[in-house]
Amino acid sequence: MKARVRGAVAAVAAAATAAALAACGEDGSTGSDGVNEPRIGVLLPDSTTARWETRDRPLLDRHIEEMCAECRVEHANAKNDVAIQQAQMDSMIAEEVDAILLVAVDSRSMRPSVEKADEAGIPVIAYDRLAQGPISGYASFDGEEVGRLQGRALLEAMGDREPPGRIVMMNGDPTDPNAVSFRKGALSVLEGKVEIAKTYETRQWRPEVAHMNMSGAISALGADSIDGVYAANDGLAAGSIAALKANKVVPLPPITGQDAELAALRRIVAGEQYMTVYKPFRPETSAGAALAVAAARGEDLDRVAKDTVRTDSGRTVPAVLLTPFSVTAETIGDTLVKDGVYTVQEICAPQLAAACDKAGLT
């Protein structure tokens, strides 16, 4: 898998270098010095998930500046509200930005806005999750592989059982195409090997909803009858763990996650969460930035994207699809620390000193 990531990064880097050397497209606005200034709108979905504002946004800004020093970036965060994001898209269209990088709150509901942008001649790059409508490009990770990694890790942590162990599935928001892919990938591994006792869909990926649902599962199944928890991301894992601890479940069953949030890594070191999925931020943000810059300049996106994806309308569009990684306590050092995402000092709070030593984080 690492070879594929390196290949994707190399492709993005090469395209970024070429883009940086190219002149701006004719559609960019012109500054006082006569230099074209393409404008790129970046629409993020929420502030509930830590990654959007703390990781993706600053890295996207950095990559866009490196590839196109004259480009201007306009940001907006929808706060998990479809109506707000629709208004933000309308504003970007009215301002005649040159390209929009979109992380849709609700892929289906944002379709009319994507269509408006297309009618206005503004290319939309779907980022991290596939948006409906006439998008021009897509940058993300292989969603089904994320689910497969989670499913395999959960089976490994649960071990061989006879009869099969019982699990609770805490899936993400069903309106998010990624959540659908994660669930499909996980089920391809888990079905027939575990008993899926309860399944929940978590609107807007809210940890408090996962907490409520897990409390309901414990009440229905019994505190000692849950052998594993498939949580689609780290926020849902946090909500599930809080409910299990509130109900005095000891020891905690193995629980999956995704996004490699700092709080999740601390839970993994502490033995409360079994794993997370690390989707390296730099390759994804670099790919998204490269597609957005090329689109804003009116360049051929095939120069940046080596993959393709089929949209809901059956169109095939250029894409960069990257490979995710499974992370447990034993591999935090070789992945997230090695990549400079977090330092050992950030992960290893004083109360985790002994657990960090055991995990080789020193």
Side-chain angles (χ1 to χ4, degrees), residues 4 17 54 163 170 219 317:
R4 183 179 172 187
T17 301
T54 62
M170 203 66 64
S219 178
V317 300

Side-chain angles (χ1 to χ4, degrees), residues 105-175:
V105 173
D106 182 325
S107 177
R108 186 178 304 168
S109 298
M110 290 304 296
R111 181 187 182 106
S113 297
V114 175
E115 291 173 343
K116 284 183 186 178
D118 182 62
E119 291 168 0
I122 301 172
V124 175
I125 305 300
Y127 178 78
D128 195 72
R129 59 186 66 158
L130 194 60
Q132 291 192 10
I135 62 171
S136 297
Y138 179 50
S140 188
F141 285 81
D142 184 337
E144 289 188 28
E145 179 62 13
V146 169
R148 288 190 288 268
L149 289 175
Q150 293 168 322
R152 291 176 194 134
L154 188 57
L155 290 179
E156 179 181 350
M158 291 172 62
D160 293 330
R161 293 170 180 264
E162 195 60 46
R166 305 175 82 194
I167 72 165
V168 173
M169 286 197 77
M170 203 66 64
N171 298 301
D173 191 324
T175 67

